[in-house]
Amino acid sequence: MKIKLSVKAMLASAVFSVFSAAVLYLSPTAKANVSAPVAMASGSFSNIEADELEIFELVNRERRKKGLSNLYWDDDLSKMARNYSKKMARGNFFSHYDEDGESVIERAAKSRVSGWRKIGENLFYCEGMDNYQSVAVKGWLRSASHRQNMLDRSWTDSGIGIAKSRNGRVYVTQVFIKR
């Protein structure tokens, strides 16, 4: 199911440090370029689905600022992204490749996400932060590879998935596709 969403959100500022950048920009035959954003501050976490939609709207807001079209929300991509965030949270790792060396391409195939011509992924994690949604998007914008991924005019659809580990670390995965 694809829908355009507009979510109004009140954002509070947070103190954070970005330690590295993460982006994966792939076509079905491309090789992955890997690295990853990280933030730390104090606070709590709640309402994951609303947070996913807020990040989605923040990304679309940045795209509109650059004269780009909004992405369509895709439930299948969101489910795939959420499952990967959960896998990283359970496995206590942060990478575009899981323990078996699989990337977003293989995860898309296993999730039966098809019909795409290009696929990409942004990752983010943080610890102890209330308003990590805007921090994730700001961190992606400060990273050339993340920004390029987020503002790629060829993307048509996206899904975001968030998970929280037992130790309180929050994992965010955003998957982009071009149909």
Side-chain angles (χ1 to χ4, degrees):
M1 176 180 180
K2 293 196 286 186
I3 56 174
K4 283 192 178 179
L5 297 174
S6 177
V7 179
K8 290 186 178 180
M10 302 281 287
L11 298 175
S13 61
V15 177
F16 69 96
S17 298
V18 174
F19 298 112
S20 63
V23 121
L24 186 61
Y25 175 81
L26 301 172
S27 68
T29 58
K31 292 188 178 180
N33 176 17
V34 178
S35 60
V38 180
M40 296 179 75
S42 61
S44 63
F45 178 84
S46 65
N47 206 350
I48 288 175
E49 290 169 352
D51 293 348
E52 292 169 351
L53 294 175
E54 183 174 340
I55 292 172
F56 182 76
E57 175 56 28
L58 290 170
V59 168
N60 271 337
R61 185 178 303 155
E62 293 301 326
R63 290 177 61 84
R64 287 190 303 271
K65 286 180 186 176
K66 299 295 184 186
L68 302 171
S69 61
N70 281 337
L71 298 168
Y72 288 93
W73 178 268
D74 185 296
D75 285 335
D76 292 333
L77 293 177
S78 182
K79 182 178 178 183
M80 181 180 123
R82 194 174 299 117
N83 285 340
Y84 192 60
S85 288
K86 287 178 182 178
K87 186 172 190 172
M88 288 189 291
R90 281 192 307 271
N92 196 30
F93 73 96
F94 183 68
S95 174
H96 288 287
Y97 296 94
D98 66 15
E99 299 93 342
D100 300 319
E102 293 183 344
S103 72
V104 67
I105 293 173
E106 291 83 15
R107 291 193 302 275
K110 285 184 175 182
S111 299
R112 300 183 190 266
V113 173
S114 61
W116 54 270
R117 293 183 281 165
K118 184 166 83 171
I119 191 165
E121 175 179 77
N122 279 353
L123 300 178
F124 172 85
Y125 82 87
C126 65
E127 293 181 24
M129 183 176 292
D130 281 329
N131 296 305
Y132 61 87
Q133 305 89 329
S134 63
V135 175
V137 175
K138 287 176 185 175
W140 289 335
L141 286 169
R142 288 184 182 121
S143 160
S145 56
H146 282 92
R147 185 175 54 254
Q148 179 182 6
N149 215 24
M150 186 188 315
L151 301 177
D152 186 323
R153 70 178 55 255
S154 67
W155 297 135
T156 56
D157 303 76
S158 184
I160 297 172
I162 300 172
K164 183 179 177 186
S165 69
R166 287 184 180 168
N167 66 3
R169 186 172 286 165
V170 177
Y171 293 83
V172 179
T173 303
Q174 180 169 22
V175 178
F176 304 90
I177 61 170
K178 174 185 178 182
R179 293 214 184 260

